[in-house]
Amino acid sequence: MSEQRPSENSRPGTPPPGVDGGWTRWDKGASPSPPRPREPRRLFLWIFLAVQALFVIWIITGSVNSTRSAGKSCAGLTGQDFTNCINAGHVGTTIGIGLIVGLWAAVDIILGITYLIYRLSRRDQP
């Protein structure tokens, strides 16, 4: 029995010999596949994440600057006065951070309602 060596063009995934070097379609009668639908750009997601990043940066810088300035404003005080001054600075920082978090929540609610209205307006009508 003689062994036949496979030709280069008999590998799986290659066209049969004599078909334009493998650059033509095998199924010339088939219709081309429909174009893929374009994915949404998710612009709202990036805007939402940017807003979140801005609020986080605002909270971090606010608390760091408040801690730094507390030592300067309480300079020259001693004993109970110094302790009261530092504690008052911490209370002020807590109130400020609370106001920022409240504003953050309000902005997130407004963004969420805006997104829902946008999605409802783009929905296919029956």
Side-chain angles (χ1 to χ4, degrees):
M1 188 177 251
S2 66
E3 287 186 37
Q4 292 181 344
R5 290 184 60 196
S7 66
E8 284 186 32
N9 289 340
S10 66
R11 287 180 284 170
T14 60
V19 182
D20 295 336
W23 295 104
T24 58
R25 290 179 50 136
W26 290 15
D27 54 347
K28 290 184 180 180
S31 63
S33 60
R36 289 179 47 191
R38 189 172 181 182
E39 289 188 24
R41 295 186 184 187
R42 302 195 188 277
L43 179 64
F44 179 80
L45 174 68
W46 291 108
I47 290 172
F48 181 78
L49 291 176
V51 168
Q52 305 312 305
L54 288 174
F55 274 106
V56 168
I57 290 169
W58 190 9
I59 286 176
I60 292 171
T61 57
S63 63
V64 167
N65 288 338
S66 175
T67 304
R68 248 190 245 155
S69 66
K72 294 177 185 174
S73 63
C74 296
L77 298 176
T78 59
Q80 189 64 32
D81 292 335
F82 179 75
T83 304
N84 289 341
C85 182
I86 293 294
N87 289 338
H90 291 308
V91 169
T93 301
T94 303
I95 291 171
I97 297 294
L99 290 173
I100 293 172
V101 169
L103 181 64
W104 189 356
V107 168
D108 281 349
I109 289 170
I110 292 169
L111 283 174
I113 291 171
T114 304
Y115 181 69
L116 288 175
I117 291 171
Y118 170 75
R119 293 283 295 184
L120 288 174
S121 71
R122 304 250 332 177
R123 187 174 64 174
D124 292 336
Q125 299 297 325

Short mmCIF file of all heavy atoms in Angstrom, two decimals, residues 30-66:
data_model
loop_
_atom_site.label_atom_id
_atom_site.label_comp_id
_atom_site.label_asym_id
_atom_site.label_seq_id
_atom_site.Cartn_x
_atom_site.Cartn_y
_atom_site.Cartn_z
N ALA A 30 -23.55 32.45 -0.86
CA ALA A 30 -24.09 32.83 0.45
C ALA A 30 -24.11 34.35 0.58
O ALA A 30 -23.25 35.05 0.06
CB ALA A 30 -23.26 32.23 1.56
N SER A 31 -25.10 34.84 1.29
CA SER A 31 -25.17 36.29 1.50
C SER A 31 -24.18 36.67 2.59
O SER A 31 -23.91 35.90 3.50
CB SER A 31 -26.59 36.68 1.92
OG SER A 31 -26.91 36.07 3.15
N PRO A 32 -23.64 37.88 2.50
CA PRO A 32 -22.68 38.30 3.53
C PRO A 32 -23.39 38.45 4.87
O PRO A 32 -24.58 38.71 4.94
CB PRO A 32 -22.17 39.64 3.03
CG PRO A 32 -23.20 40.12 2.07
CD PRO A 32 -23.86 38.90 1.50
N SER A 33 -22.65 38.26 5.93
CA SER A 33 -23.23 38.37 7.26
C SER A 33 -23.62 39.82 7.52
O SER A 33 -22.95 40.74 7.05
CB SER A 33 -22.25 37.88 8.32
OG SER A 33 -21.09 38.66 8.28
N PRO A 34 -24.70 40.03 8.27
CA PRO A 34 -25.13 41.41 8.54
C PRO A 34 -24.08 42.12 9.40
O PRO A 34 -23.37 41.48 10.18
CB PRO A 34 -26.44 41.23 9.31
CG PRO A 34 -26.37 39.87 9.88
CD PRO A 34 -25.54 39.05 8.93
N PRO A 35 -23.98 43.43 9.25
CA PRO A 35 -23.00 44.15 10.07
C PRO A 35 -23.36 44.06 11.55
O PRO A 35 -24.54 44.01 11.91
CB PRO A 35 -23.10 45.60 9.57
CG PRO A 35 -24.43 45.68 8.92
CD PRO A 35 -24.76 44.31 8.41
N ARG A 36 -22.34 44.02 12.38
CA ARG A 36 -22.55 43.95 13.82
C ARG A 36 -23.15 45.26 14.31
O ARG A 36 -22.75 46.33 13.87
CB ARG A 36 -21.23 43.71 14.54
CG ARG A 36 -20.71 42.32 14.33
CD ARG A 36 -19.40 42.09 15.01
NE ARG A 36 -19.42 42.58 16.38
CZ ARG A 36 -18.35 42.69 17.12
NH1 ARG A 36 -17.18 42.34 16.66
NH2 ARG A 36 -18.42 43.13 18.35
N PRO A 37 -24.12 45.17 15.21
CA PRO A 37 -24.69 46.42 15.73
C PRO A 37 -23.63 47.17 16.53
O PRO A 37 -22.82 46.58 17.23
CB PRO A 37 -25.84 45.96 16.62
CG PRO A 37 -25.56 44.53 16.93
CD PRO A 37 -24.73 43.99 15.79
N ARG A 38 -23.67 48.47 16.41
CA ARG A 38 -22.69 49.29 17.09
C ARG A 38 -22.99 49.31 18.59
O ARG A 38 -24.11 49.53 19.01
CB ARG A 38 -22.78 50.70 16.54
CG ARG A 38 -21.69 51.59 17.01
CD ARG A 38 -21.76 52.89 16.26
NE ARG A 38 -20.70 53.75 16.69
CZ ARG A 38 -20.52 54.96 16.25
NH1 ARG A 38 -21.31 55.45 15.35
NH2 ARG A 38 -19.53 55.68 16.69
N GLU A 39 -21.96 49.08 19.39
CA GLU A 39 -22.13 49.08 20.84
C GLU A 39 -22.27 50.51 21.33
O GLU A 39 -21.65 51.43 20.80
CB GLU A 39 -20.93 48.43 21.52
CG GLU A 39 -20.85 46.95 21.31
CD GLU A 39 -19.76 46.33 22.15
OE1 GLU A 39 -19.37 46.92 23.17
OE2 GLU A 39 -19.29 45.25 21.77
N PRO A 40 -23.10 50.72 22.35
CA PRO A 40 -23.22 52.08 22.89
C PRO A 40 -21.89 52.52 23.50
O PRO A 40 -21.11 51.72 23.98
CB PRO A 40 -24.31 51.96 23.95
CG PRO A 40 -24.42 50.51 24.26
CD PRO A 40 -23.93 49.77 23.05
N ARG A 41 -21.65 53.78 23.46
CA ARG A 41 -20.36 54.31 23.93
C ARG A 41 -20.26 54.38 25.44
O ARG A 41 -19.21 54.60 25.99
CB ARG A 41 -20.13 55.69 23.35
CG ARG A 41 -19.98 55.64 21.86
CD ARG A 41 -19.62 56.96 21.34
NE ARG A 41 -19.58 56.88 19.89
CZ ARG A 41 -19.16 57.83 19.13
NH1 ARG A 41 -18.74 58.95 19.65
NH2 ARG A 41 -19.16 57.69 17.83
N ARG A 42 -21.37 54.23 26.11
CA ARG A 42 -21.41 54.28 27.57
C ARG A 42 -20.84 55.60 28.11
O ARG A 42 -20.05 55.64 29.05
CB ARG A 42 -20.69 53.10 28.19
CG ARG A 42 -21.26 51.78 27.74
CD ARG A 42 -20.79 50.66 28.62
NE ARG A 42 -21.17 49.37 28.12
CZ ARG A 42 -22.35 48.80 28.30
NH1 ARG A 42 -23.28 49.44 28.95
NH2 ARG A 42 -22.62 47.61 27.81
N LEU A 43 -21.25 56.68 27.47
CA LEU A 43 -20.80 58.00 27.87
C LEU A 43 -21.27 58.33 29.28
O LEU A 43 -20.54 58.90 30.08
CB LEU A 43 -21.32 59.05 26.87
CG LEU A 43 -20.97 60.49 27.16
CD1 LEU A 43 -19.46 60.69 27.07
CD2 LEU A 43 -21.68 61.41 26.19
N PHE A 44 -22.51 57.95 29.59
CA PHE A 44 -23.04 58.25 30.92
C PHE A 44 -22.20 57.58 32.00
O PHE A 44 -21.95 58.18 33.06
CB PHE A 44 -24.50 57.80 31.04
CG PHE A 44 -25.07 58.08 32.39
CD1 PHE A 44 -25.52 59.34 32.72
CD2 PHE A 44 -25.12 57.09 33.36
CE1 PHE A 44 -26.01 59.61 33.98
CE2 PHE A 44 -25.62 57.35 34.62
CZ PHE A 44 -26.07 58.62 34.93
N LEU A 45 -21.76 56.35 31.76
CA LEU A 45 -20.94 55.64 32.75
C LEU A 45 -19.67 56.42 33.07
O LEU A 45 -19.30 56.58 34.24
CB LEU A 45 -20.59 54.24 32.25
CG LEU A 45 -19.61 53.46 33.12
CD1 LEU A 45 -20.26 53.09 34.45
CD2 LEU A 45 -19.13 52.23 32.40
N TRP A 46 -19.01 56.95 32.04
CA TRP A 46 -17.76 57.69 32.27
C TRP A 46 -18.03 59.02 32.96
O TRP A 46 -17.24 59.46 33.81
CB TRP A 46 -17.01 57.88 30.96
CG TRP A 46 -16.49 56.58 30.46
CD1 TRP A 46 -16.94 55.86 29.40
CD2 TRP A 46 -15.44 55.81 31.05
NE1 TRP A 46 -16.24 54.69 29.29
CE2 TRP A 46 -15.30 54.63 30.27
CE3 TRP A 46 -14.60 55.99 32.14
CZ2 TRP A 46 -14.36 53.66 30.57
CZ3 TRP A 46 -13.66 55.01 32.43
CH2 TRP A 46 -13.55 53.87 31.65
N ILE A 47 -19.15 59.67 32.64
CA ILE A 47 -19.49 60.91 33.34
C ILE A 47 -19.78 60.61 34.80
O ILE A 47 -19.31 61.32 35.71
CB ILE A 47 -20.71 61.59 32.66
CG1 ILE A 47 -20.31 62.13 31.30
CG2 ILE A 47 -21.27 62.70 33.54
CD1 ILE A 47 -21.46 62.65 30.47
N PHE A 48 -20.53 59.54 35.06
CA PHE A 48 -20.84 59.15 36.43
C PHE A 48 -19.57 58.85 37.22
O PHE A 48 -19.41 59.30 38.36
CB PHE A 48 -21.77 57.93 36.40
CG PHE A 48 -22.18 57.46 37.76
CD1 PHE A 48 -23.17 58.12 38.47
CD2 PHE A 48 -21.59 56.34 38.34
CE1 PHE A 48 -23.55 57.68 39.73
CE2 PHE A 48 -21.97 55.90 39.59
CZ PHE A 48 -22.95 56.58 40.28
N LEU A 49 -18.65 58.08 36.63
CA LEU A 49 -17.40 57.76 37.32
C LEU A 49 -16.55 59.00 37.55
O LEU A 49 -15.89 59.11 38.60
CB LEU A 49 -16.62 56.70 36.53
CG LEU A 49 -17.25 55.31 36.50
CD1 LEU A 49 -16.43 54.39 35.60
CD2 LEU A 49 -17.37 54.74 37.88
N ALA A 50 -16.57 59.94 36.62
CA ALA A 50 -15.80 61.18 36.81
C ALA A 50 -16.37 61.99 37.98
O ALA A 50 -15.61 62.54 38.79
CB ALA A 50 -15.83 62.01 35.53
N VAL A 51 -17.70 62.04 38.09
CA VAL A 51 -18.33 62.75 39.21
C VAL A 51 -17.95 62.09 40.53
O VAL A 51 -17.63 62.76 41.52
CB VAL A 51 -19.86 62.81 39.03
CG1 VAL A 51 -20.56 63.28 40.30
CG2 VAL A 51 -20.21 63.72 37.86
N GLN A 52 -17.96 60.75 40.56
CA GLN A 52 -17.59 60.04 41.78
C GLN A 52 -16.14 60.33 42.17
O GLN A 52 -15.83 60.55 43.34
CB GLN A 52 -17.78 58.52 41.62
CG GLN A 52 -19.17 58.10 41.18
CD GLN A 52 -20.28 58.73 41.97
OE1 GLN A 52 -20.33 58.65 43.18
NE2 GLN A 52 -21.19 59.38 41.27
N ALA A 53 -15.27 60.33 41.18
CA ALA A 53 -13.84 60.61 41.44
C ALA A 53 -13.67 62.03 41.98
O ALA A 53 -12.87 62.25 42.91
CB ALA A 53 -13.02 60.41 40.17
N LEU A 54 -14.40 62.99 41.43
CA LEU A 54 -14.29 64.37 41.91
C LEU A 54 -14.73 64.48 43.37
O LEU A 54 -14.08 65.18 44.17
CB LEU A 54 -15.13 65.30 41.04
CG LEU A 54 -14.57 65.57 39.64
CD1 LEU A 54 -15.57 66.39 38.82
CD2 LEU A 54 -13.24 66.30 39.73
N PHE A 55 -15.81 63.81 43.74
CA PHE A 55 -16.26 63.87 45.13
C PHE A 55 -15.26 63.19 46.07
O PHE A 55 -15.01 63.69 47.17
CB PHE A 55 -17.65 63.25 45.28
CG PHE A 55 -18.76 64.24 45.01
CD1 PHE A 55 -19.49 64.17 43.84
CD2 PHE A 55 -19.07 65.22 45.92
CE1 PHE A 55 -20.50 65.07 43.59
CE2 PHE A 55 -20.08 66.13 45.69
CZ PHE A 55 -20.80 66.06 44.51
N VAL A 56 -14.69 62.07 45.66
CA VAL A 56 -13.69 61.40 46.50
C VAL A 56 -12.47 62.31 46.69
O VAL A 56 -11.96 62.46 47.82
CB VAL A 56 -13.28 60.04 45.89
CG1 VAL A 56 -12.05 59.48 46.57
CG2 VAL A 56 -14.43 59.06 45.98
N ILE A 57 -12.03 62.94 45.62
CA ILE A 57 -10.88 63.86 45.72
C ILE A 57 -11.23 65.04 46.63
O ILE A 57 -10.40 65.48 47.45
CB ILE A 57 -10.46 64.34 44.31
CG1 ILE A 57 -9.83 63.17 43.54
CG2 ILE A 57 -9.49 65.51 44.39
CD1 ILE A 57 -9.62 63.45 42.07
N TRP A 58 -12.45 65.55 46.51
CA TRP A 58 -12.88 66.68 47.34
C TRP A 58 -12.88 66.30 48.81
O TRP A 58 -12.42 67.06 49.67
CB TRP A 58 -14.26 67.12 46.89
CG TRP A 58 -14.75 68.42 47.48
CD1 TRP A 58 -14.04 69.31 48.21
CD2 TRP A 58 -16.06 68.94 47.37
NE1 TRP A 58 -14.85 70.37 48.57
CE2 TRP A 58 -16.08 70.17 48.06
CE3 TRP A 58 -17.22 68.51 46.75
CZ2 TRP A 58 -17.22 70.95 48.15
CZ3 TRP A 58 -18.35 69.30 46.84
CH2 TRP A 58 -18.35 70.50 47.52
N ILE A 59 -13.35 65.12 49.13
CA ILE A 59 -13.38 64.68 50.54
C ILE A 59 -11.96 64.49 51.07
O ILE A 59 -11.63 64.91 52.19
CB ILE A 59 -14.21 63.39 50.68
CG1 ILE A 59 -15.69 63.71 50.54
CG2 ILE A 59 -13.94 62.70 52.01
CD1 ILE A 59 -16.60 62.51 50.57
N ILE A 60 -11.10 63.87 50.29
CA ILE A 60 -9.72 63.63 50.75
C ILE A 60 -8.98 64.94 50.97
O ILE A 60 -8.36 65.16 52.02
CB ILE A 60 -8.98 62.71 49.77
CG1 ILE A 60 -9.57 61.30 49.82
CG2 ILE A 60 -7.48 62.68 50.07
CD1 ILE A 60 -9.06 60.38 48.75
N THR A 61 -9.04 65.83 49.99
CA THR A 61 -8.31 67.10 50.14
C THR A 61 -8.91 67.95 51.26
O THR A 61 -8.17 68.63 51.97
CB THR A 61 -8.31 67.89 48.82
OG1 THR A 61 -9.65 68.12 48.40
CG2 THR A 61 -7.53 67.18 47.74
N GLY A 62 -10.23 67.91 51.42
CA GLY A 62 -10.85 68.69 52.49
C GLY A 62 -10.43 68.21 53.86
O GLY A 62 -10.13 69.01 54.75
N SER A 63 -10.39 66.89 54.05
CA SER A 63 -10.01 66.38 55.37
C SER A 63 -8.52 66.59 55.64
O SER A 63 -8.12 66.89 56.77
CB SER A 63 -10.39 64.91 55.50
OG SER A 63 -9.68 64.14 54.57
N VAL A 64 -7.68 66.46 54.62
CA VAL A 64 -6.24 66.66 54.81
C VAL A 64 -5.95 68.13 55.14
O VAL A 64 -5.18 68.44 56.06
CB VAL A 64 -5.46 66.19 53.57
CG1 VAL A 64 -4.02 66.68 53.59
CG2 VAL A 64 -5.50 64.69 53.45
N ASN A 65 -6.58 69.04 54.39
CA ASN A 65 -6.34 70.47 54.64
C ASN A 65 -6.88 70.90 56.00
O ASN A 65 -6.29 71.75 56.67
CB ASN A 65 -6.97 71.31 53.53
CG ASN A 65 -6.19 71.20 52.24
OD1 ASN A 65 -5.02 70.85 52.23
ND2 ASN A 65 -6.86 71.49 51.14
N SER A 66 -7.99 70.33 56.42
CA SER A 66 -8.55 70.68 57.73
C SER A 66 -7.63 70.20 58.86
O SER A 66 -7.43 70.90 59.85
CB SER A 66 -9.93 70.05 57.87
OG SER A 66 -10.43 70.28 59.16
#
